[in-house]
Amino acid sequence: MSNTLIVGLDGSESGSRALAYAKRLASLIPDCTLELVYVIEWTPYSFQTPEENASRHKRREQEIAVATSRVIDPAVNTLNTEGFTANGRVMHGDAAELLNLVAVEEKADQIVVARSSRGGLTSRLFGSVTANLVMNASVPVTVVN
């Protein structure tokens, strides 16, 4: 039986703390896989011209390549070198929704994320990714400060 932890990364220092916590947790769990997920916030609800849509698709592919090469691949390689089983992916969309989707698909035991560092009016009105995830996730969520 494999145990899986989903780790939400965003390339920030707080994301690094979430990964460090997940590593400590994984070292205590036999046969544990760390599934690293970087979500680029992306909304399909915008009205654009066909030219803008083509440009947006190209930008999306570039963002995925950058996040993969700068955040996911180095983290997965380091974890594998340290003896952990790790995989990674970059996705576009609503971060809370996609982290939960990956957790369900992977039959994960837990999601580990960092506390959102963003604040302001938007966060107070609509809630942070972390708050939405905690309220709606299908599995337990650990929030690292």
Side-chain angles (χ1 to χ4, degrees), residues 5 13 27 34 48 54 73 75 86 90-91 106 112-113 123 131 143:
L5 300 176
E13 180 60 36
S27 69
L34 294 166
Q48 299 179 6
D73 286 348
V90 177
M91 306 172 82
E106 297 294 329
V112 178
V113 293
S123 180
V143 180

Side-chain angles (χ1 to χ4, degrees), residues 5-94:
L5 300 176
I6 307 301
V7 185
L9 295 181
D10 61 1
S12 70
E13 180 60 36
S14 58
S16 296
R17 289 192 305 272
L19 181 57
Y21 178 80
K23 282 173 49 176
R24 285 193 304 273
L25 194 56
S27 69
L28 302 172
I29 302 170
D31 193 27
C32 186
T33 298
L34 294 166
E35 187 71 36
L36 311 183
V37 182
Y38 186 115
V39 179
I40 300 167
E41 287 287 330
W42 191 266
T43 178
Y45 305 111
S46 61
F47 301 98
Q48 299 179 6
T49 66
E51 294 80 18
E52 289 170 324
N53 281 334
S55 171
R56 188 177 194 207
H57 179 72
K58 183 177 179 181
R59 192 172 63 248
R60 177 184 184 271
E61 296 305 314
Q62 291 169 339
E63 289 174 342
I64 289 172
V66 168
T68 300
S69 67
R70 290 187 182 170
V71 178
I72 293 296
D73 286 348
V76 168
N77 291 338
T78 298
L79 289 167
N80 289 333
T81 299
E82 293 174 353
F84 292 96
T85 302
N87 305 301
R89 62 181 89 178
V90 177
M91 306 172 82
H92 265 257
D94 178 84

Side-chain angles (χ1 to χ4, degrees), residues 96-133:
E97 186 178 301
L98 290 174
L99 286 166
N100 187 56
L101 178 68
V102 172
V104 170
E105 286 176 357
E106 297 294 329
K107 297 178 178 57
D109 299 291
Q110 188 174 153
I111 301 170
V112 178
V113 293
R115 182 178 60 85
S116 175
S117 58
R118 296 184 196 130
L121 181 61
T122 302
S123 180
R124 287 193 300 270
L125 288 176
F126 301 108
S128 70
V129 169
T130 305
N132 287 332
L133 186 60

